[in-house]
Amino acid sequence: MNENIEKIKQYVQDLRAEIELHNYRYYVLDNPTMPDAEYDRLLRELQQIEQDYPQLIAVDSPTQRVGAAPLEAFAQIAHHIPMLSLSNAFDAVEVTAFDRRVCEGLSVDSVEYAVEPKFDGLAVSLCYENGMLRAGATRGDGYTGEDITLNLKTIRSIPLSLSVKDPPPLLEIRGEVLMLKADFLSLNQRQLAKGEKEFANPRNAAAGSLRQLDPSITATRRLAFFAYGVGENRDVNLPQDTHSHVMAYLASLHFPVAKECQVVKGLQELLAYYQAIGAQRERLPYDIDGVVYKVNSLLQQEQLGFVSRAPRFAVAHKFPAQEAVTQLLDIDVQVGRTGALTPVARLKPVFVGGVTVTNATLHNADEIERKNVRIGDTVIVRRAGDVIPEVVSVILEKRPADARVFVMPSHCPVCGAKAVRLPEEAKSRCTGGLFCPAQRKQAILHFASRRAMDIEGLGDKLVNQMVDQAIVRTPADLYRLGVAALASLERMADKSANNIWRAIENSKQTTLARFIYALGIRNVGEATAKDLAAHLGSLDRLIEANSERLQQIPDIGPVVAQSIVDFFAERHNCEVIEQLRLSGVYWDEHEGKPASIGISVPLNGKTFVLTGTLPTMSREDAKEKIEALGGKVSGSVSKKTDYVVVGTDPGSKYDKAVSLGITILDETGLQALLQ
Ligand code: IVH
C-alpha cells in the first residue's frame, strides 16, 4: 500500500511538472507544444487524483490556481523595501537632462542602460520563500499594499514555485500585471453578451480583475505578468553586477520578461530605442505608455541613489499625450485646499487615451487668455497618463458666433469672500481661509488622507455633509464627534458610524512627519514634512523656527520657509493644533532628534544596510531612527557602506559585508550608536 502511494505521489509530481511546463511554454514563451485538449485532460486527471488522495494536494499544484474561496477583505502587506515610482521625461530635452545628470553623478562620459517597455498595468510584488510563492501584493502606497495572493495565483504565467534545485530562502519579484489587448477585446465581448458593463481599457480591466475578493472571478479573466526587477532577497545566485543580468536570471527562473528589453549605451541609443518601440507600439500585444531607462550597473545605481520617492538612476520616457477634439460647454471655478481658484472646462464627453473625459483644467486666467479660449469653442483636449486632462488649444475656425468670453470672478464662488491675485502669482485666491466651506472641506480631506492622519473611510461625501451641517469646522472637531453624531449623517448605518469613529480614534497615534503634512501648510508636501520632522524633532521647535532657521534645513528654500512662518503666525492655526493635542493626538517627539546646523547630526554621511530580522525593532523603525540622526539606509552593500546591521536569518548582504570588511552591528550595537 505504502509503496503504491509512493508511486502515485511520484506520478502526481510528474503530472504537475508537465502541466506547469506547458503553462510556461504557452504563457511565457508563447510557444505551446501540446494541444489544448491534451492539457485539459492532464489537468482533469490531476484534479481527480487529488480528489481521491487529498493528502497529496500541495500549495503549488496547478489545481490550486483556481477555486479558492472568496475573501471578506484584503489583508495588508508591508513592503520592506518600498515600491517607488519613476520620474518622467516627456521629450528628448528632458531625457538629455537625465542622461547628463547621470553622467555627472558618476563622473563618466557615457553610461550603459538597460531599456524596457513601460507596461501600462499594475505594479505587484511576489514573495517566494524557499522557492514557494507565499504572498503577492499590490503596490498600494508604496509602503503597504493589499494581499492579493489568491488572485495572482490564477495567473498562469506566474510560477507557483521556482523550478530550481536549491531555491533561495527569499526572493521578491516585482513586475506588472496587465491584460493583453486581444484578451481585453474578448472580455468586453463577453461582458456585452452578458449585458454587463464593458471596461474602458486593458488597464482598467486588469485592475478590476485583480482587485476581486472572489478569486474565481479573477480566474476567468486572462491576466498576464511581466517581471521588471527584484525587491527583498536572500539569494546567493542573484546577479550582483547588472540589471540586465538580473533580468536574465529571472527569465531562467521562468518569469516572463519582455522580449523588447535591451542594453544600450549613451543618449543617442536611448532615443533610438524610444523611436523603435514607438514604431512597434501598435503591434505590441499589450499597452505601453512609454519606455523605461535604467542605469545597468547595480553599483552605479547605488552611487546615484534616490531622490524623494524615485530613483535617480532611472526614468520613464513617456509617449506623447493623447489628444482629442470636443466642445467646451462651460467654465466652472473650483476652490482648492489653499483657496486657489482654478477654472475648469466642462466638456462634451470625449474618449481620450482610453477614458471618457468630461472636465479639463484651464489652469488660470492667464492661460485662458493666452490660449484664447471661449465658452462654446471647439477645443483640443490632452490627457497624459494619470495627469489631469487639459485644454491644449482652440480650433478657431469652428468658433460659433455666440462664443462667450470667460471672466474670472472677483469673489469666491463658494463663500463669497473677496478673491485676490498677488502680483507674483498666476492664480487668484479666495481670502475666506478656513471660513470658506470649500477650503475647509479640502483641508479636512487632506488631514484625513492616507499619507496624513490616515482616517480610513472619511471620504468627500461624509466631509461634505459634516461641513455643510456645521458639525465639523476644523480637523480638531473630528475628534469630538461621537458615534451618535456620526450615525446621524445621511446613509450612515450604526456599523459604519462605529467604524469611522474607531478610525478617527486610531488616527490619534501618529508621527510628527505625518502630523506636519496633515496640517496642509502651503508648499509643505510629504517629503518636506519628513525633513522638518527629522531635523527639528519637535512640533514646538517647528512653530518657533524663523525663516533663517528653516532655510538651514537641506532642500528648504525661502518660499517654503515663508509659507511655514505664515502658517504658524495665524492664531487660528495654532488654536486648532492646541485642540488637536488636547483631544489626544500624539506622536513620539524623539522619532526625529534635532539635527543639522549647530545641533549635532552624529550619523551624517554614514550609510547603513539592514539585513535579517532584528529582535525588537522593525526595519522601518530602525530606518527612521538612523535617518533622524542624519544617516542613510541603503538596500545593498558596497564599499561605501559604513555599517551593516544584522538580525536573525541575514541574507547575502551579510556575507558581502564580511568579505568587504565592513563594520557589522547587531541590534544592541545599533542602539548604542543611536544613543
Ligand atoms: S521599474 C524604482 N520598470 O511604472 C522604480 N517600472 O512609475 C521601479 N512600470 O509603479 C519600477 N513598466 O508599475 C519599472 N519596465 C518597468 C516598468 C515599470 C511599468 C510601472 C511600475 C511602477 C511605475 C513607476
Side-chain angles (χ1 to χ4, degrees):
M1 184 65 196
N2 257 351
E3 198 184 323
N4 195 19
I5 196 103
E6 277 309 313
K7 265 195 192 145
I8 297 173
K9 204 168 168 182
Q10 186 56 50
Y11 182 69
V12 161
Q13 273 169 9
D14 293 346
L15 205 50
R16 283 177 187 151
E18 192 166 356
I19 293 171
E20 284 299 78
L21 184 64
H22 178 71
N23 275 335
Y24 173 61
R25 291 211 178 109
Y26 190 105
Y27 293 101
V28 182
L29 301 182
D30 205 7
N31 180 21
T33 46
M34 180 194 291
D36 285 0
E38 174 65 3
Y39 174 84
D40 291 342
R41 194 187 65 71
L42 293 179
L43 193 62
R44 272 200 308 273
E45 186 181 353
L46 178 61
Q47 271 163 341
Q48 187 60 52
I49 302 177
E50 287 183 357
Q51 206 175 334
D52 296 344
Y53 300 91
Q55 71 271 36
L56 295 184
I57 298 178
V59 286
D60 64 336
S61 171
T63 57
Q64 304 302 300
R65 288 189 183 273
V66 287
L71 299 172
E72 294 264 4
F74 295 116
Q76 302 269 305
I77 289 192
H79 301 303
H80 290 219
I81 299 180
M83 292 182 78
L84 302 172
S85 45
L86 292 166
S87 2
N88 292 323
F90 289 100
D91 54 32
V93 175
E94 289 179 7
V95 175
T96 309
F98 162 73
D99 178 62
R100 188 175 334 112
R101 279 196 305 275
V102 167
C103 288
E104 282 172 1
L106 298 171
S107 311
V108 293
D109 294 334
S110 161
V111 175
E112 190 182 80
Y113 293 99
V115 293
E116 309 172 354
K118 183 164 191 301
F119 307 103
D120 197 6
L122 296 105
V124 299
S125 124
L126 306 170
C127 239
Y128 289 83
E129 282 172 29
N130 300 314
M132 301 292 248
L133 174 58
R134 286 283 175 229
T138 60
R139 173 170 184 264
D141 63 1
Y143 299 95
T144 322
E146 284 176 320
D147 181 343
I148 50 163
T149 314
L150 296 175
N151 295 346
L152 288 168
K153 279 187 161 183
T154 69
I155 301 177
R156 301 283 171 95
S157 57
I158 294 182
L160 296 177
S161 53
L162 303 178
S163 54
V164 280
K165 254 236 184 80
D166 278 313
L170 179 67
L171 182 60
E172 182 195 347
I173 308 292
R174 292 187 173 172
E176 198 93 344
V177 167
L178 44 83
M179 191 177 279
L180 300 185
K181 292 176 190 170
D183 293 328
F184 163 71
L185 292 176
S186 59
L187 169 64
N188 263 357
Q189 267 169 12
R190 277 184 281 143
Q191 293 288 103
L192 206 62
K194 282 193 290 185
E196 287 184 32
K197 222 180 112 221
E198 289 174 275
F199 290 97
N201 53 45
R203 189 182 184 284
N204 285 6
S209 305
L210 206 53
R211 291 199 67 260
Q212 287 284 346
L213 288 169
D214 182 353
S216 70
I217 298 181
T218 314
T220 65
R221 312 269 173 85
R222 276 201 176 190
L223 293 171
F225 172 78
F226 284 98
Y228 54 60
V230 295
E232 247 199 316
N233 64 80
R234 264 182 279 136
D235 181 357
V236 285
N237 294 318
L238 183 72
Q240 302 286 324
D241 54 354
T242 60
H243 178 74
S244 52
H245 287 159
V246 170
M247 297 303 282
Y249 175 65
L250 298 188
S252 80
L253 293 178
H254 289 190
F255 287 98
V257 169
K259 291 192 203 66
E260 292 73 22
C261 292
Q262 280 180 28
V263 174
V264 305
K265 196 159 177 26
L267 174 65
Q268 290 316 318
E269 291 188 21
L270 289 182
L271 298 174
Y273 179 75
Y274 175 79
Q275 292 297 338
I277 295 291
Q280 292 172 37
R281 185 179 181 188
E282 293 303 315
R283 276 172 282 135
L284 290 177
Y286 45 78
D287 276 352
I288 60 174
D289 54 350
V291 292
V292 183
Y293 309 142
K294 301 173 180 171
V295 169
N296 198 23
S297 150
L298 300 182
L299 186 68
Q300 290 184 332
Q301 286 194 359
E302 190 179 81
Q303 283 169 351
L304 289 162
F306 294 81
V307 54
S308 192
R309 288 171 57 80
R312 280 203 194 84
F313 55 78
V315 76
H317 188 178
K318 300 296 262 303
F319 288 126
Q322 286 158 7
E323 297 183 350
V325 175
T326 189
Q327 209 189 347
L328 191 154
L329 305 174
D330 206 346
I331 297 178
D332 288 347
V333 174
Q334 261 174 11
V335 187
R337 175 163 62 81
T338 53
L341 302 187
T342 304
V344 176
R346 303 290 174 220
L347 305 169
K348 194 167 152 204
V350 61
F351 204 61
V352 197
V355 300
T356 303
V357 171
T358 51
N359 301 316
T361 180
L362 286 159
H363 301 291
N364 55 55
D366 287 354
E367 279 291 297
I368 295 183
E369 206 177 304
R370 190 177 67 76
K371 290 178 183 161
N372 184 8
V373 177
R374 301 212 184 142
I375 298 164
D377 268 341
T378 297
V379 293
I380 296 177
V381 181
R382 174 196 291 164
R383 181 181 164 266
D386 294 336
V387 184
I388 303 170
E390 61 169 353
V391 172
V392 189
S393 59
V394 173
I395 303 180
L396 283 175
E397 296 80 346
K398 296 203 175 164
R399 172 165 290 170
D402 60 352
R404 282 183 293 132
V405 172
F406 170 76
V407 186
M408 200 66 193
S410 58
H411 289 81
C412 170
V414 175
C415 72
K418 211 167 146 23
V420 294
R421 184 172 161 188
L422 299 177
E424 71 278 15
E425 289 202 338
K427 292 205 171 194
S428 305
R429 275 173 204 284
C430 157
T431 52
L434 286 175
F435 296 98
C436 171
Q439 290 190 49
R440 216 181 291 151
K441 285 174 187 172
Q442 295 295 331
I444 292 167
L445 276 171
H446 171 81
F447 181 83
S449 64
R450 185 132 68 134
R451 304 231 169 110
M453 300 298 277
D454 193 18
I455 305 180
E456 210 186 319
L458 195 64
D460 51 358
K461 295 213 173 61
L462 276 181
V463 171
N464 282 349
Q465 285 192 59
M466 288 172 174
V467 173
D468 290 343
Q469 297 177 21
I471 308 177
V472 170
R473 297 172 52 86
T474 73
D477 293 339
L478 291 172
Y479 295 95
R480 285 198 274 266
L481 292 173
V483 179
L486 286 163
S488 75
L489 297 171
E490 227 177 85
R491 273 189 255 132
M492 188 65 133
D494 282 354
K495 190 167 167 226
S496 332
N498 242 313
N499 287 346
I500 298 276
W501 182 81
R502 200 174 306 278
I504 294 174
E505 279 300 301
N506 287 344
S507 74
K508 282 182 178 173
Q509 179 174 6
T510 186
T511 65
L512 178 56
R514 277 177 177 271
F515 186 78
I516 295 172
Y517 175 61
L519 292 174
I521 304 169
R522 254 181 97 189
N523 301 316
V524 176
E526 207 184 356
T528 308
K530 279 188 179 161
D531 286 346
L532 291 167
H535 284 86
L536 296 168
S538 91
L539 186 67
D540 291 328
R541 253 180 246 126
L542 175 64
I543 295 175
E544 285 153 19
N546 60 20
S547 179
E548 289 74 56
R549 170 67 186 99
L550 291 167
Q551 285 181 63
Q552 289 168 341
I553 298 172
D555 295 336
I556 294 193
V559 175
V560 179
Q562 196 54 47
S563 301
I564 297 169
V565 172
D566 289 349
F567 182 90
F568 292 111
E570 190 78 55
R571 216 184 59 209
H572 170 84
N573 290 334
C574 295
E575 280 168 10
V576 171
I577 290 172
E578 205 38 49
Q579 287 162 7
L580 284 166
R581 291 211 253 205
L582 288 173
S583 329
V585 172
Y586 69 100
W587 55 86
D588 181 2
E589 288 264 293
H590 301 288
E591 59 177 320
K593 288 250 177 71
S596 84
I597 340 80
I599 316 166
S600 77
V601 240
L603 301 183
N604 204 6
K606 297 283 183 230
T607 301
F608 289 72
V609 172
L610 307 170
T611 175
T613 316
L614 299 179
T616 69
M617 286 169 125
S618 74
R619 213 174 256 251
E620 265 312 294
D621 220 20
K623 184 164 181 276
E624 269 181 23
K625 292 201 163 113
I626 292 168
E627 287 175 350
L629 297 181
K632 201 180 120 199
V633 176
S634 157
S636 53
V637 178
S638 77
K639 274 182 284 185
K640 289 193 346 192
T641 310
D642 295 289
Y643 300 100
V644 172
V645 184
V646 177
T648 48
D649 283 339
S652 58
K653 291 172 194 165
Y654 173 71
D655 304 326
K656 191 156 177 201
V658 173
S659 69
L660 292 174
I662 290 162
T663 310
I664 292 175
L665 301 172
D666 60 5
E667 185 180 302
T668 323
L670 174 66
Q671 299 273 23
L673 207 61
L674 294 172
Q675 291 304 311

